[in-house]
Amino acid sequence: MAGCTGYAGGEVLRLAAAHPELTIGNLTAHSNAGTKLGEHLPNLPQLADREVLDTTPDNLAGHDVVFLALPHGASAPIAAELGADTLVIDCGADFRLIDPAQWTKFYGSEHAGTWPYGLPELPGQRAKLAATKQIAVPGCYPTNVTLSLLPALTHGLITGQDITVAAASGTSGAGKAAKPHLLGSELFNSMSAYGVGGMHRHVPEILQNLSLLGATDPTVSFTPMLAPMSRGILAVVTAPISGVGAADVRAAYADSYADEPFCRLLPPGQWPASKSVLGSNGFQVQVTVDEAAGRLVAVGVLDNLTKGTAGGAIQSMNLALGLPETTGLSAIGVAP
């Protein structure tokens, strides 16, 4: 496990520690090398005395599975040094995008390549994940937006044009490094927008996923927001729709998610709340049609650290290892 002391790495360890088929090997983190894990993750007492090693290929070699929870651009050099028999799961962005030009535009460096995408709910994706040794875990916002629109696109209810997304995320999505705008006195009793005007790095990934679901030349206006909570994402996603009523839209979502272990369409009249999926690998959605505006409205929630990152990584790992997809995972949230 590389990057074990960050939020994403810590969540992978939380899930891995309870996974019946996993034994946790070396733990690494560059800046915290030489410390004990308990200094950073006191919520994992069974691992508290484990030494954090430096993130080097040698310290990660010899494992059957390696999770990389590293800053963007840092995974590719490490992954290149690991053996072909190792299942490598990158929780960063290095291998998510297909288009090298989009990577360079949004990340400013050379594209490292494309790995199978760790979102099993995409049509045909489970077979791809079952046959790979390399997995690119999706971004948290793209996971929410993709699952919020998947049934509408696969059932041909929308085209993928003129998508709007307003999504609020907890502060853990910004990482663990100290930042002035994440101080309690700055964050409490306040919400703020960021990455406005198509500037957020998840925009090309969202568009890529819409295309994979059948959209032709999709467009999206994405406005992410920072909410005064530690974890979770609530996304309000709308798209033009005509000649289709709310009942037909609901039927499409019920059909798509009837057999999905982690995706749930809520009962009529019940709207998603981020607290309902806290700490779980669950995704919940509600959908309707705004007839006056002629738009589909889907509201989706997930935990950005679990289904949005570490849970999705474990779910994809299970498929790659030939394990039941739900092993070590739950759709049960923590309440209140």
Side-chain angles (χ1 to χ4, degrees):
M1 173 78 239
C4 66
T5 59
Y7 287 136
E11 187 74 351
V12 170
L13 284 181
R14 182 180 75 86
L15 297 175
H19 195 289
E21 301 295 333
L22 293 183
T23 299
I24 298 174
N26 285 349
L27 307 178
T28 78
H30 182 66
S31 60
N32 290 318
T35 63
K36 298 292 186 180
L37 187 70
E39 298 175 33
H40 313 282
L41 298 174
N43 61 310
L44 300 178
Q46 67 272 53
L47 299 174
D49 292 332
R50 295 285 295 274
E51 182 182 359
V52 178
L53 306 176
D54 193 13
T55 299
T56 67
D58 286 344
N59 285 332
L60 295 171
H63 296 83
D64 295 322
V65 181
V66 172
F67 293 91
L68 303 176
L70 302 172
H72 302 321
S75 295
I78 295 291
E81 297 295 325
L82 299 176
D85 292 334
T86 301
L87 173 59
V88 183
I89 303 172
D90 182 25
C91 295
D94 288 24
F95 302 100
R96 293 172 185 165
L97 296 184
I98 297 171
D99 185 349
Q102 288 287 67
W103 170 269
T104 301
K105 176 181 177 181
F106 281 86
Y107 292 91
S109 60
E110 185 177 350
H111 187 231
T114 306
W115 287 1
Y117 194 66
L119 188 60
E121 292 82 3
L122 285 175
Q125 202 65 18
R126 287 182 169 92
K128 296 177 182 178
L129 291 170
T132 188
K133 287 289 189 179
Q134 299 172 321
I135 296 172
V137 178
C140 51
Y141 282 124
T143 296
N144 194 324
V145 175
T146 303
L147 295 177
S148 292
L149 287 180
L150 184 152
L153 283 163
T154 57
H155 283 76
L157 304 181
I158 62 174
T159 66
Q161 293 286 328
D162 191 21
I163 304 294
T164 67
V165 180
S169 173
T171 57
S172 58
K176 205 169 186 178
K179 303 177 181 71
H181 72 287
L182 298 181
L183 293 172
S185 56
E186 299 289 339
L187 183 71
F188 292 159
N189 302 315
S190 176
M191 283 188 65
S192 58
Y194 66 100
V196 180
M199 301 303 294
H200 196 281
R201 287 174 168 175
H202 285 171
V203 167
E205 190 179 346
I206 292 171
L207 291 171
Q208 177 176 285
N209 289 358
L210 297 179
S211 295
L212 292 173
L213 291 172
T216 302
D217 297 323
T219 61
V220 63
S221 176
F222 174 46
T223 304
M225 293 171 283
L226 190 65
M229 57 188 187
S230 61
R231 54 200 294 168
I233 292 177
L234 184 146
V236 180
V237 187
T238 78
I241 194 168
S242 62
V244 181
D248 291 330
V249 169
R250 182 172 181 83
Y253 277 70
D255 176 64
S256 289
Y257 290 143
D259 298 321
E260 285 293 345
F262 298 114
C263 298
R264 181 178 182 233
L265 173 64
L266 294 179
Q270 182 179 358
W271 290 92
S274 61
K275 68 176 183 179
S276 301
V277 293
L278 187 68
S280 84
N281 200 51
F283 166 78
Q284 296 184 1
V285 66
Q286 184 59 278
V287 65
T288 192
V289 174
D290 183 339
E291 295 183 359
R295 296 186 75 86
L296 168 88
V297 180
V299 179
V301 292
L302 53 73
D303 187 317
N304 59 296
L305 291 180
T306 318
K307 179 57 176 168
T309 307
I314 296 288
Q315 185 180 350
S316 299
M317 178 207 72
N318 286 337
L319 289 167
L321 294 178
L323 299 172
E325 187 174 336
T326 58
T327 305
L329 296 170
S330 174
I332 299 172
V334 178

